């Protein structure tokens, strides 16, 4: 018997292997109010919004949570300062409001203040212009829990960033934005949705739609790991698949109200000691905005902004992309950065609303929501910073097809898991470190990844408070917790998203793969053959990316990554091709 009130299991924020299996049964046996397709930031925001309105909601993801765009950003929640130059004041105001909400209330453990330097290169007119711009930025909400802008002389700016060339600036402006681990944030939002009753499942790919006339009533799905199939029924569905929006709309055979264009952004990661500075830096280049972002023991430098029309699951970075970033950076820093300094490279796609401009740089970052057919809503575009608003707008539109009364959104005052009590935990860091038997540095690392859930991480593996071989900044307990609580199904899920080992170590996780596989194999029921296949698959993918980074063209780099397969062996990768 199917019915809205049937619960296969009690709501839980624990995305364990057991819950993963139970979720599959629930998807095929229960009628949902709403099903969200896509486990990135927008899908996560919509899932939490729907769950906290009391809806029976499911969110499904073909690969891993945040496996696409939502793990490959510039790692910031920002107000969109450059959109002031486009006179997009509404977007800036909305972004600043959302940034402040996340930083102060919703996710203070994951969204933290980040001091920036904006170097000035012209002595008079640029300073006046930037003063006006930053003043507007601050007054629109950019300076609530962080300080107002401060204008600096050349000498003052160089004190903040001694690694810059003296002739690269005439002064600077200090301002604030925020830093966020995008993959961890998205996964934690999804876990929070599960805490409020959502059914959350990765490795679940949509293969087709079921209709009654022109009304969408169900989606056919396949388990990307086992090949099992089922059909999920609901009153309404939301297509929150980002750069795959067009393909899902085509699969549903609906008239699209908009389409999505992909723009590739590449970042490099270098050790912290390669550049001397005490703040993030924002440069404006002819082709893009170049950020230099402090990230633990590293700097993240990027990004690029180029058209992309090939594989969307693994957009390949090229030597041309990397050289562009290095050239722009080296024209401004005193110590030259070389390819040998790079420990990591990652590449992601921005899902931009198509048709606004011939070049991707000026395409709208605003989001669009449309009811493309009775029972099906598509949402696309927007900025990660405004994920909560985008999710709310999508649920509001889907409510037209949901049979029960849908209450108003409450996510503007619903903290995500780990946020409650974070500040008190931070204030008692020495006591926490002593209680856990770790250094204050390790304790600080843990609370800024898990917040008030830190004791759960330790409880999951009390003997695991030792570093991962080849990746000493992470603990073995974090690996176990990634499987038992955070829904990781594969080795790459752990090395690339539950931790960020693939972008923080020059071996890209290869040197840690066997040790991590040994930890998670018994948790996921792997035999020796499966464990070896996982290690080989991961190693092959990382070597494929390293090879792609040496190619000069997108086509050649993409071909390198086409040679390797996804660890989800039943994934239909034809949907990745345009």
């Amino acid at each position: 018997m199917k019915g809205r009130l049937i619960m296969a299991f009690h709501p839980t924020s624990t995305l364990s292997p057991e819950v993963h299996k139970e979720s599959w049964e629930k998807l095929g046996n229960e009628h949902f109010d709403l099903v969200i397709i896509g486990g990135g930031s927008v899908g996560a925001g919509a899932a939490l919004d729907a769950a906290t309105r009391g809806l029976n909601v499911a969110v499904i993801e073909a690969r891993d949570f945040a496996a696409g765009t939502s793990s490959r950003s510039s790692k910031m929640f920002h107000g969109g300062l450059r959109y002031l130059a486009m006179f997009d004041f509404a977007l800036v105001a909305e972004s600043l409001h959302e940034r402040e909400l996340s930083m102060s209330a919703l996710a203070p453990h994951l969204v933290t203040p980040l001091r920036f330097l904006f170097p000035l290169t012209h002595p008079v007119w640029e300073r006046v212009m930037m003063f006006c711009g930053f003043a507007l930025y601050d007054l629109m909400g950019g300076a609530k829990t962080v300080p107002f802008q401060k204008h600096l002389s050349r000498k003052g700016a160089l004190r903040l960033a001694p690694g810059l060339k003296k002739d690269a600036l005439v002064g600077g402006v200090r301002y604030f934005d925020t830093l966020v681990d995008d993959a961890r944030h998205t996964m934690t939002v999804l876990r929070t949705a599960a805490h409020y009753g959502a059914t959350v499942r990765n490795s679940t790919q949509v293969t087709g739609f079921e209709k009654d006339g022109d009304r969408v009533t169900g989606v056919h799905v396949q388990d990307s790991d086992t090949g099992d199939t089922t059909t999920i029924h609901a009153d309404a569905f939301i297509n929150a698949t980002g750069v795959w929006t067009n393909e899902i709309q085509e699969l549903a055979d609906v008239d699209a109200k908009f389409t999505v264009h992909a723009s590739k952004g590449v970042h490099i990661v270098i050790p912290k000691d390669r550049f001397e500075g005490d703040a993030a830096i924002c440069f404006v280049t002819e082709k893009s905005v170049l950020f230099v972002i402090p990230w633990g023991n590293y700097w993240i430098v990027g990004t690029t902004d180029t058209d992309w029309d090939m594989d969307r699951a693994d957009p390949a970075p090229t030597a041309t992309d990397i050289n562009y970033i290095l050239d722009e950076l080296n024209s401004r820093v005193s110590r030259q950065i070389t390819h040998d300094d790079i420990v990591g490279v990652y590449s992601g796609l921005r899902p931009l609303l198509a048709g606004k401009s011939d070049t991707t740089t000026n395409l709208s970052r605003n989001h669009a929501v449309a009811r493309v057919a009775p029972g099906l809503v598509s949402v696309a575009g927007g900025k990660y910073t405004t994920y909560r608003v985008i999710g709310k707008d999508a649920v509001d539109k889907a409510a037209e097809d949901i049979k029960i009364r849908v209450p108003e959104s409450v996510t503007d005052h619903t903290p995500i898991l780990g946020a409650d009590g974070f500040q008190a935990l931070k204030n008692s860091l020495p006591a926490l470190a002593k209680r856990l038997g770790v250094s204050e540095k390790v304790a600080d690392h843990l609370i800024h990844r898990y917040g008030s859930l830190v004791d759960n991480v330790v409880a999951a593996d009390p003997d695991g408070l030792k570093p991962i071989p080849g990746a000493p900044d992470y603990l073995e307990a974090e690996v176990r917790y990634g499987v038992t609580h955070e829904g990781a199904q594969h080795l790459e899920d752990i090395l690339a998203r539950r931790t960020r080992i693939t972008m923080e170590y020059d071996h890209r996780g290869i040197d840690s793969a066997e040790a991590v596989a040994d930890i998670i194999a018994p948790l996921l029921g792997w035999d020796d053959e499966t464990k070896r296949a996982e290690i080989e698959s991961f190693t092959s993918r990382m070597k494929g990316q390293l090879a792609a980074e040496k190619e000069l063209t997108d086509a050649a780099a993409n071909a390198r990554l086409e040679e390797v397969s996804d660890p989800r062996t039943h994934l239909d990768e034809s949907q990745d091709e345009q």
Side-chain angles (χ1 to χ4, degrees), residues 305-369:
D305 196 352
T306 56
D307 289 339
W308 181 262
D309 60 1
M310 286 174 266
D311 183 7
R312 277 150 302 164
D314 292 299
T318 67
T320 302
D321 297 322
I322 295 168
N323 288 336
Y324 164 76
I325 295 172
L326 287 177
D327 289 345
E328 292 291 343
L329 180 63
N330 284 329
S331 69
R332 297 167 170 88
V333 299
S334 55
R335 175 180 176 175
Q336 298 297 280
I337 309 299
T338 70
H339 284 269
D340 291 339
D341 294 318
I342 297 172
V343 298
V345 179
Y346 66 91
S347 178
L349 299 177
R350 305 175 188 89
L352 307 179
L353 297 177
K356 303 292 183 182
S357 169
D358 291 334
T359 62
T360 63
T361 303
N362 294 319
L363 283 175
S364 175
R365 261 64 172 182
N366 286 306
H367 66 277
V369 178

Side-chain angles (χ1 to χ4, degrees), residues 93-103 385-386 388-389:
E94 181 179 76
S95 298
L96 288 170
H97 175 73
E98 292 302 311
R99 188 198 74 176
E100 176 67 23
L101 263 183
S102 289
M103 178 173 53
T385 312
T386 58
R388 188 195 67 82
V389 175

Side-chain angles (χ1 to χ4, degrees), residues 60-267:
I60 54 176
E61 163 60 43
R63 291 174 172 80
D64 185 28
F65 309 128
T69 303
S70 299
S71 61
R72 309 181 193 193
S73 73
S74 295
K75 318 304 181 197
M76 292 184 294
F77 275 10
H78 61 92
L81 180 66
R82 63 181 169 138
Y83 302 126
L84 287 177
M86 302 176 189
F87 301 104
D88 199 341
F89 302 121
L91 178 59
V92 174
E94 181 179 76
S95 298
L96 288 170
H97 175 73
E98 292 302 311
R99 188 198 74 176
E100 176 67 23
L101 263 183
S102 289
M103 178 173 53
S104 63
L106 303 186
H109 55 316
L110 296 176
V111 183
T112 56
L114 181 61
R115 180 170 56 178
F116 262 92
L117 172 67
F118 185 94
L120 299 173
T121 56
H122 298 280
V124 180
W125 67 264
E126 188 183 23
R127 188 178 288 278
V128 173
M129 181 181 72
M130 295 312 297
F131 172 80
C132 295
F134 277 110
L136 185 59
Y137 194 68
D138 289 341
L139 292 171
M140 291 174 72
K144 287 188 176 180
T145 57
V146 294
F148 277 83
Q149 63 170 307
K150 181 178 181 180
H151 280 248
L152 306 170
S153 64
R154 174 189 281 166
K155 187 176 180 180
L158 288 172
R159 277 199 298 267
L160 204 55
L164 291 178
K165 291 180 179 178
K166 291 183 179 179
D167 60 0
L169 72 169
V170 298
V173 183
R174 187 224 63 197
Y175 70 102
F176 279 81
D177 261 316
T178 60
L179 184 70
V180 62
D181 184 329
D182 46 11
R184 174 150 296 279
H185 179 270
T186 292
M187 181 276 300
T188 307
V189 172
L190 284 164
R191 284 191 63 196
T192 309
H195 173 75
Y196 287 105
T199 301
V200 178
R201 196 177 197 274
N202 51 8
S203 295
T204 309
Q205 184 176 30
V206 171
T207 58
F209 284 79
E210 186 175 284
K211 290 184 175 181
D212 182 2
D214 62 350
R215 175 174 292 278
V216 175
T217 59
V219 288
H220 305 303
V221 296
Q222 177 171 276
D223 187 305
S224 307
D225 292 320
T226 67
D228 293 343
T229 61
T230 193
T231 300
I232 311 172
H233 294 95
D235 291 349
F237 298 82
I238 293 175
N239 172 14
T241 54
V243 293
W244 286 272
T245 296
N246 302 347
E247 283 60 43
I248 294 296
Q249 291 180 152
E250 290 173 7
L251 199 61
D253 191 24
V254 297
D255 288 331
K257 303 297 190 296
F258 52 77
T259 57
V260 168
H261 181 89
S263 164
K264 184 176 71 167
V266 176
H267 296 77

Side-chain angles (χ1 to χ4, degrees), residues 527-541:
D527 56 22
D528 288 344
E529 182 180 352
T530 303
K531 183 176 73 172
R532 182 52 50 191
E534 281 280 333
I535 295 171
E536 290 176 356
S537 172
F538 174 78
T539 301
S540 174
R541 287 172 68 77

